[in-house]
Amino acid sequence: MTSTAPGVRSWRRAVDDLGDGWRQRQLWGHLGWQDIRQRYRRSVLGPVWITISMAVTAVALGILYSGLFDIELSRFLPHVLVGFIVWAFISGCIAEGSEVFIANEGLIKHLPSPLSVHVYRLVWRQSLFFAHNMLVYLVMLLVYPQPLKWTAVYAIAAFAVLAVNGVWVALTVGIVTTRFRDILPITQSVVQLMFFLTPIVWVYDELVNSPNPEIAERARLAEFNPFLHYVEIIRRPLLGQDQVWRHWVVVLVITVVGWALTMLVLRRYRSRVSYWV
């Protein structure tokens, strides 16, 4: 009994950290909103700059690659815009998650709160960015109407799953990076690389159905890219396309495995983060 008690207590502390952090949502909700206000302080347009910068980049790349791939702009630009919106959330959770505890060193040392508070704050902030960027999607619907169906509601569930994954990714990467600082630039470089390997500015279905068998075979390798599945579960319903359920299966499997790994890391290293920062 005495040998198992410490293990049971450490598991309970890990679970309590997540629960206590969630109960303090008024705190991290306010902090996340203040992060955005502070970033655009003294700016006339404020957070609208988030939407403008993303829209300009997406439209420019959409026009460029539609010409390179010889795809109609009315079909290609919505694909790129929605992909950009989803990717901004994913990359934000990973890139900022890698330094979430390092950036909050002062709060961790002087504010007695669960570690998960800082992660919830990060994911909430990225969710607000996502909401701002959805304004671009609404404008796009006016310019290039999409054949939306009732299945568009799947996008809400997909984003909820995406946010849940953002929490475990930020927790795990944040703890590991706090201990090993060399991982921080590696993580940021990998995120930039994965942007080009994920079908954001190229269409997976076009390449996998290419008449050239070599191109089609290489395109199928994208199935091993987990970000493909995360992007597609949101993009397809927002563009009025039918769901491909293998994307959901892959995402849910990764979610379960990811959270299992996160709980192991949180159980073992949660108490050491305040010393590592």
Side-chain angles (χ1 to χ4, degrees):
M1 292 294 293
T2 56
S3 61
T4 58
V8 173
R9 285 197 299 269
S10 60
W11 279 113
R12 185 177 297 118
R13 292 191 188 100
V15 174
D16 288 345
D17 188 289
L18 295 172
D20 293 341
W22 178 254
R23 283 187 286 273
Q24 295 184 30
R25 51 188 174 272
Q26 185 174 0
L27 170 63
W28 52 259
H30 175 73
L31 291 175
W33 180 248
Q34 287 297 105
D35 289 340
I36 297 179
R37 294 186 60 183
Q38 187 66 26
R39 179 177 300 186
Y40 295 96
R41 187 180 181 184
R42 302 183 186 279
S43 172
V44 176
L45 295 180
V48 177
W49 280 114
I50 304 170
T51 303
I52 294 175
S53 60
M54 193 279 300
V56 170
T57 304
V59 170
L61 290 178
I63 295 174
L64 172 63
Y65 281 93
S66 67
L68 292 176
F69 292 125
D70 193 23
I71 303 176
E72 293 183 4
L73 187 62
S74 60
R75 186 165 69 91
F76 188 71
L77 188 56
H79 174 90
V80 173
L81 279 172
V82 178
F84 254 91
I85 293 172
V86 180
W87 181 257
F89 180 86
I90 294 174
S91 61
C93 288
I94 299 175
E96 294 190 19
S98 62
E99 53 182 349
V100 61
F101 301 126
I102 300 172
N104 291 285
E105 175 184 355
L107 290 176
I108 292 175
K109 289 183 175 179
H110 300 99
L111 181 66
S113 62
L115 286 180
S116 58
V117 164
H118 308 291
V119 175
Y120 291 141
R121 172 186 178 182
L122 182 154
V123 175
W124 168 241
R125 182 170 64 246
Q126 292 300 324
S127 299
L128 292 175
F129 287 150
F130 182 88
H132 279 92
N133 289 335
M134 284 299 289
L135 294 175
V136 181
Y137 169 74
L138 297 178
V139 173
M140 181 271 294
L141 288 180
L142 297 177
V143 180
Y144 298 115
Q146 301 298 306
L148 297 180
K149 310 172 186 176
W150 68 268
T151 52
V153 298
Y154 281 123
I156 300 175
F159 179 75
V161 172
L162 202 63
V164 169
N165 279 267
V167 174
W168 77 255
V169 168
L171 267 172
T172 303
V173 176
I175 291 175
V176 174
T177 305
T178 303
R179 176 63 181 87
F180 303 102
R181 301 299 174 93
D182 291 334
I183 296 180
L184 178 58
I186 296 175
T187 301
Q188 295 173 344
S189 298
V190 170
V191 170
Q192 293 178 356
L193 174 63
M194 294 307 298
F195 171 81
F196 297 101
L197 297 179
T198 304
I200 306 298
V201 294
W202 50 277
V203 182
Y204 172 71
D205 291 339
E206 289 285 333
L207 296 181
V208 81
N209 294 319
S210 171
N212 188 327
E214 293 185 2
I215 294 178
E217 189 66 27
R218 292 173 184 173
R220 290 190 183 91
L221 295 176
E223 290 285 341
F224 295 98
N225 178 2
F227 297 110
L228 161 70
H229 307 285
Y230 282 96
V231 171
E232 287 300 305
I233 63 173
I234 296 184
R235 180 162 56 191
R236 296 188 71 87
L238 288 179
L239 295 181
Q241 300 172 356
D242 294 332
Q243 286 283 11
V244 178
W245 294 108
R246 73 174 183 279
H247 296 315
W248 278 94
V249 172
V250 172
V251 167
L252 293 177
V253 169
I254 294 175
T255 302
V256 173
V257 174
W259 267 108
L261 174 63
T262 298
M263 293 307 297
L264 289 172
V265 173
L266 191 62
R267 168 185 174 268
R268 184 162 187 175
Y269 300 111
R270 181 188 62 84
S271 60
R272 304 182 189 181
V273 172
S274 58
Y275 298 99
W276 290 341
V277 295

